[in-house]
Amino acid sequence: MVIKYELIKEDPRTKARLGKITTPHGTFETPVFMAVGTQATVKTLVKEDLEAIGSNIILGNTYHLWCQPGNDIVREAGGLHKFTNWDKSILTDSGGFQVFSLAKLRGDIKEEGVTFKNHKNGKSMFLSPEISMKIQNDLGSDIMMCFDECPPYPASYEYMKNSTERTIRWAKRCLESHARKDEQGLFGIIQGGVYPDLRKHCCEELTKLPFDGFSIGGLSVGEPKEMQNEVLDYTTPLLPKDKPRYLMGVGSPGAILDAVERGVDMFDCVLPTRIARHGTAMTHSGRLIIKNKKYERDFTPLDSKCDCYCCKNFTKAYLHHLFKADEMLVYRLLSIHNINYLLRLTEGIRNAIREDRFLEFKEEVYKEYGLNDNDKDF
Amino acid sequence: MVIKYELIKEDPRTKARLGKITTPHGTFETPVFMAVGTQATVKTLVKEDLEAIGSNIILGNTYHLWCQPGNDIVREAGGLHKFTNWDKSILTDSGGFQVFSLAKLRGDIKEEGVTFKNHKNGKSMFLSPEISMKIQNDLGSDIMMCFDECPPYPASYEYMKNSTERTIRWAKRCLESHARKDEQGLFGIIQGGVYPDLRKHCCEELTKLPFDGFSIGGLSVGEPKEMQNEVLDYTTPLLPKDKPRYLMGVGSPGAILDAVERGVDMFDCVLPTRIARHGTAMTHSGRLIIKNKKYERDFTPLDSKCDCYCCKNFTKAYLHHLFKADEMLVYRLLSIHNINYLLRLTEGIRNAIREDRFLEFKEEVYKEYGLNDNDKDF
């Protein structure tokens, strides 16, 4: 296996686990949060910014990189690591989520693959398991994802059954066409919606295959929070203990804590950088909207418990000013802060598991952040 | 004098001079280029970015900071240095240039001051020598500018005569109302348009007063290049040798070289950051438009002779991609590169003066950059 997973410790009271992943570009402990670098950059940031907050693995979006600059150019540059000057680990998705989430643009799903229109120029494009593997091989990520269908919520049982079966067939084709097995790992993606027997069937089929890890897909697509937790409750026990588990597209503090409790190791989300661009910070006392007039003369840091570059050097009043003045620097500073928040959260989770106090830690964060079960941002 | 100027060496063949300025926030050699931080930030950059390229003094715009966040807030923050987390020197303009350049918005110019409308919300505002001093005292810059009128080119002799006389009277009022003479220096601004006797008169009157240095205003406002050089030819000899001379708003490589040759010490311009936002880089072989398709697969640095962070870590192909993908990071990287270009240019100028080869250096840069007398970017 190109990707090594070491299970360091299991929480005695929950399914939470402390582990360690080694990729061709480094080793890091799990649970881990991965910042999203959609278009070959974690928006506004460079390597040094990410290293300073302890980021060991970031995500690249296959669909976006395929469209711009094109996987051929990234390959010619020597791969995504060299192109972007990032020498730690990179995970790429399969492109499937983007193709299916740009639903209005998509053509029919056929056994062979999906025809759809490029979201920027309307050009017709075709994506299949083989093409997704080829693009990801060109990008040269450390961890690749199988090309799957990610149906929206709700989807009928019938639809989901057909879709899941196809996703399983596609997963086999991905494994077969993956051309750089010695250099890049490949995760299978568990689909099945909110139907326990379909999730079970998908787990059974995919875990027979030599994947480096397993992603749990089709969640965080509009279903209620309880349902997400329920799916995790019955899905993670069906996954092997010696391989990493990745919950795709999840990155709010509450959802990370809930999923770790249910045995998930890896997370990614555009949340920290996206809300940064809207002037929102994740802090130890919850979300903070920097454009709020009350921060105009607030000469204290964004988050007094935070030690990131933004909090060590700037005040809320300065960030408020930058936001009102439409200065791009504020997105850079808030992105550093928000990603750091999630990296420190996952670091706190790891330490809590190590010290047998995960549930206490979770409760503490929920309380501190002002999270409750009805919280939409959970 | 709060601002100390030491004349280190005069070029034996031209009026070029190597000097050293000490402000309450540090010492630096001249000729010097100052990056512009209009709204309390050199767009997209932080202190560390500027320090890494050897920036010792930056500029803040009084008009913009007065409008947003307001000088009261900056004062309460402890001044512009503390507000922005920049602990080296800061120069502020008087606000006059912005008031007069937003010409359609301005009301009449009266002896007392100018009434105009805020360019963002249309609110009526009034700026006078006393108010400009009050704002700059609140900002706490190291070097302040007198409030002057900067008429456009062309202006009639009659108009310019009246305007220059008023600028002289305003300069006296600035000196009188400057409330922090022990902490902040103040420069007089030489106006007079393209009329030698008016420039001479202004120099004679202002050099009688205890200013820390002199700015040459009213240039780079649309007049031909030869005329700018001509004005400098007869103006700088009328300024004292023991005080710094600042040519406001000039920052293209050719214009800097020409002005240094005529005895100017300080420069500022939005050029490097503004063209960065349009995807243009200043390189040793001239301007480079990064969106040009020919850079799509160019895996070499922007400028092979440059050692900035951007050139050390990224290729033209990557920058081209970021620009096409509308990623803000490209503005940050090109801003670093362009400011570095001008800081290295002025460093090269200083070394050339030190080593008696200024004219050779000038010719070399002109040739290398592809500058010629008809060059609009001169």
Side-chain angles (χ1 to χ4, degrees), chain B residues 273-304:
Chain B
T273 42
R274 178 171 291 164
I275 68 176
R277 292 197 298 284
H278 297 116
T280 300
M282 303 163 102
T283 79
H284 280 83
S285 46
R287 289 202 184 186
L288 185 155
I289 316 291
I290 200 63
K291 77 172 168 198
N292 197 314
K293 190 162 171 70
K294 71 178 170 185
Y295 300 123
E296 198 177 29
R297 290 162 195 271
D298 185 333
F299 301 111
T300 64
L302 207 49
D303 185 346
S304 61

Side-chain angles (χ1 to χ4, degrees), chain A residues 208-260:
Chain A
K208 286 179 198 162
L209 302 170
F211 288 114
D212 294 84
F214 296 93
S215 304
I216 300 161
L219 289 182
S220 208
V221 292
E223 78 284 359
K225 168 187 174 169
E226 303 71 36
M227 213 168 252
Q228 184 175 125
N229 285 339
E230 209 182 295
V231 172
L232 292 176
D233 279 334
Y234 57 68
T235 302
T236 55
L238 306 173
L239 295 171
K241 287 208 167 182
D242 61 348
K243 287 183 181 172
R245 304 150 181 182
Y246 162 34
L247 179 54
M248 304 177 82
V250 166
S252 68
I256 289 177
L257 287 160
D258 284 5
V260 165

